[in-house]
Amino acid sequence: MTDDILSRIGAVIESRKGADPATSYVAKLFDKGLDSILKKVGEEATETVMAAKDGDPQKLVYEVADLWFHSMVALAHFGLKPEDVLRELARREGLSGLEEFAARNTPGRKNP
């Protein structure tokens, strides 16, 4: 279910790239440009942290949904899809977080 809904939302976001900013929130974000998209990601990240600190699970879920959505808009700005992130998560599955972090910081290794 998870990757299906992400794919569907990703497709809708992609379809809004050329839409009229007066009739689509996502089109309006794309029209305003990357800085506006990233500002929304930052705002939603802050609201997610605040919701977690409040200790309200439902509020946290709501804010994470907003964060994911706006992150998907940022991905679409760069021609990326939710599947790209899911592939990266699948690549990391089973790796120790400490090992994965150490591999990122290995001299001479190109980071993704």
Side-chain angles (χ1 to χ4, degrees):
M1 177 185 114
T2 304
D3 56 346
D4 291 341
I5 188 69
L6 293 176
S7 292
R8 289 194 308 270
I9 292 170
V12 170
I13 289 170
E14 190 65 32
S15 76
R16 298 297 198 272
K17 277 186 173 179
D20 181 358
T23 62
S24 166
Y25 171 72
V26 174
K28 188 175 186 177
L29 283 174
F30 283 127
D31 189 58
K32 287 183 174 182
L34 181 60
D35 285 348
S36 288
I37 295 168
L38 297 178
K39 182 179 178 186
K40 282 304 294 182
V41 172
E43 288 172 8
E44 298 305 341
T46 299
E47 290 172 6
T48 297
V49 170
M50 291 172 25
K53 301 244 336 142
D54 288 346
D56 181 344
Q58 190 55 44
K59 188 175 178 185
L60 179 58
V61 167
Y62 181 88
E63 295 302 341
V64 169
D66 280 351
L67 177 58
W68 285 13
F69 177 82
H70 288 89
S71 295
M72 289 171 64
V73 173
L75 288 169
H77 175 83
F78 290 100
L80 299 168
K81 299 179 184 299
E83 293 80 8
D84 296 312
V85 176
L86 293 173
R87 265 192 302 281
E88 176 60 16
L89 289 170
R91 184 191 69 78
R92 294 180 187 186
E93 187 176 19
L95 292 177
S96 157
L98 295 175
E99 290 172 3
E100 201 279 330
F101 183 75
R104 281 193 242 163
N105 296 311
T106 302
R109 181 183 183 273
K110 288 186 177 180
N111 291 327

